Amino acid sequence: MTWTYDGDPAKDNKSAVRFAIGDVNKSSPLVQDEEIDYALAREGSNVLLAAARIADALAFKFAREGVTRTNTFTTDKSTPSAIYRQLAKD
């Protein structure tokens, strides 16, 4: 699996999708190039529809992580789910 982004969303559709979903930090990737390629193929190379498909998948991914509780802390990892769900709708 690979992750690429050179900071120029006008360069290619994959970079444009990455920019649209905010997946531009190499040290914390959200999706792999192959997943973006799949979304682009499914959506006829339409960047916005592919970005919506990826955002929807990310919403499901983060929703699964849910809430983690310890004696001291509560971590809600599902918050990004709502953000990506709204991005997919937009």
Side-chain angles (χ1 to χ4, degrees):
M1 298 291 213
T2 56
W3 187 97
T4 56
Y5 181 73
D6 68 359
D8 183 4
K11 180 180 177 184
D12 57 47
N13 285 350
K14 190 180 316 180
S15 295
V17 170
R18 234 180 244 299
F19 178 77
I21 64 168
D23 187 17
V24 296
N25 184 347
K26 184 177 184 175
S27 65
S28 182
L30 296 171
V31 295
Q32 301 297 320
D33 286 353
E34 294 80 4
E35 293 167 314
I36 295 174
D37 289 339
Y38 171 79
L40 284 165
R42 294 286 303 195
E43 300 301 341
S45 297
N46 183 305
V47 169
L48 293 179
L49 291 177
R53 180 179 285 272
I54 295 289
D56 199 40
L58 288 170
F60 282 115
K61 172 185 172 182
F62 287 113
R64 290 185 65 211
E65 293 183 7
V67 176
T68 304
R69 290 185 175 88
T70 64
N71 290 338
T72 311
F73 298 102
T74 299
T75 305
D76 184 356
K77 293 184 178 181
S78 66
T79 301
S81 176
I83 294 167
Y84 284 106
R85 174 75 58 223
Q86 187 60 48
L87 179 62
K89 288 179 184 177
D90 290 347

